[in-house]
Amino acid sequence: VVPATPTNAAATANVPCGPCRVDVTWTPVTNSGAGYEVELWNGSTLVRTVSATTSATSLSDVAAEAVYTLKVYAVLDNVRSSGSADTTVSTVTTRKITITCERTTVSGKPGIGCEGLTTGFKAGDVVKPWVKFPGQTAYTLASARPVIAADGSFEWSRKTGKKTYVYFTSDDDTITSNRVIIPAK
């Protein structure tokens, strides 16, 4: 007996992740005693096959920054369904840095304070502040390295009363935030 084909497969991934996990669900078949096999594909490469007895399973240690196709088959007496319920899931994370800055007091002197929010970064990663003052033609890397908190936020401040241009980059310089201009005090 060839079991019916499962339907309505759906998958989600925990992102950002490291290691990643993919959760997949589907509508069970009506064949009594049927189990399931879930194939994880990356493009045309079969990454692995897992067995399940219910209509949901999780696949751990899935690579980050990948797009997967999952194929769910019903299995009865070692016979697979003729078709599969297919779904796709992505573990690709778009890294992003967004900042807001304002005039403030730093250690009793005029200064600027910036708050940042990141996505796709891990807690403990650092960002690099870049500043430029009137008359300068290029941005200069500041010495501080704000650390990203578990919620993706970070803070940075500097003493200055001058008009200041600020932006941040990831530690590897691949991601750049928005640029902010803070007027002189």
Side-chain angles (χ1 to χ4, degrees):
V1 174
V2 176
T5 299
T7 57
N8 302 318
T12 57
N14 64 315
V15 288
C17 57
C20 297
R21 184 190 76 244
V22 171
D23 299 320
V24 61
T25 60
W26 58 90
T27 303
V29 296
T30 56
N31 301 85
S32 177
Y36 302 93
E37 287 183 348
V38 179
E39 293 180 345
L40 179 70
W41 291 81
N42 186 348
S44 60
T45 303
L46 175 62
V47 177
R48 78 178 94 144
T49 303
V50 297
S51 297
T53 56
T54 63
S55 59
T57 192
S58 294
L59 293 94
S60 298
D61 298 321
V62 176
E65 305 302 316
V67 176
Y68 294 101
T69 299
L70 294 114
K71 298 179 179 230
V72 181
Y73 295 90
V75 179
L76 183 62
D77 296 328
N78 293 321
V79 177
R80 252 188 181 190
S81 56
S82 59
S84 63
D86 298 352
T87 186
T88 59
V89 67
S90 172
T91 58
V92 176
T93 303
T94 303
R95 296 192 314 159
K96 185 176 180 181
I97 305 169
T98 305
I99 62 168
T100 57
C101 302
E102 63 184 3
R103 185 66 49 200
T104 188
T105 301
V106 179
S107 299
K109 305 259 183 182
I112 56 173
C114 296
E115 293 181 354
L117 186 59
T118 64
T119 57
F121 290 83
K122 297 182 298 217
D125 285 351
V126 297
V127 290
K128 300 188 313 193
W130 294 82
V131 296
K132 182 175 85 164
F133 297 105
Q136 294 181 325
T137 58
Y139 283 82
T140 303
L141 178 61
S143 60
R145 295 293 178 269
V147 177
I148 298 172
D151 66 356
S153 67
F154 66 89
E155 294 180 353
W156 174 78
S157 61
R158 177 179 179 143
K159 292 180 197 174
T160 183
K162 298 179 183 179
K163 180 177 184 179
T164 310
Y165 303 78
V166 178
Y167 73 92
F168 286 77
T169 62
S170 57
D171 196 34
D172 62 4
D173 296 320
T174 60
I175 307 299
T176 302
S177 76
N178 56 304
R179 295 175 194 265
V180 176
I181 302 170
I182 303 101
K185 177 153 171 78

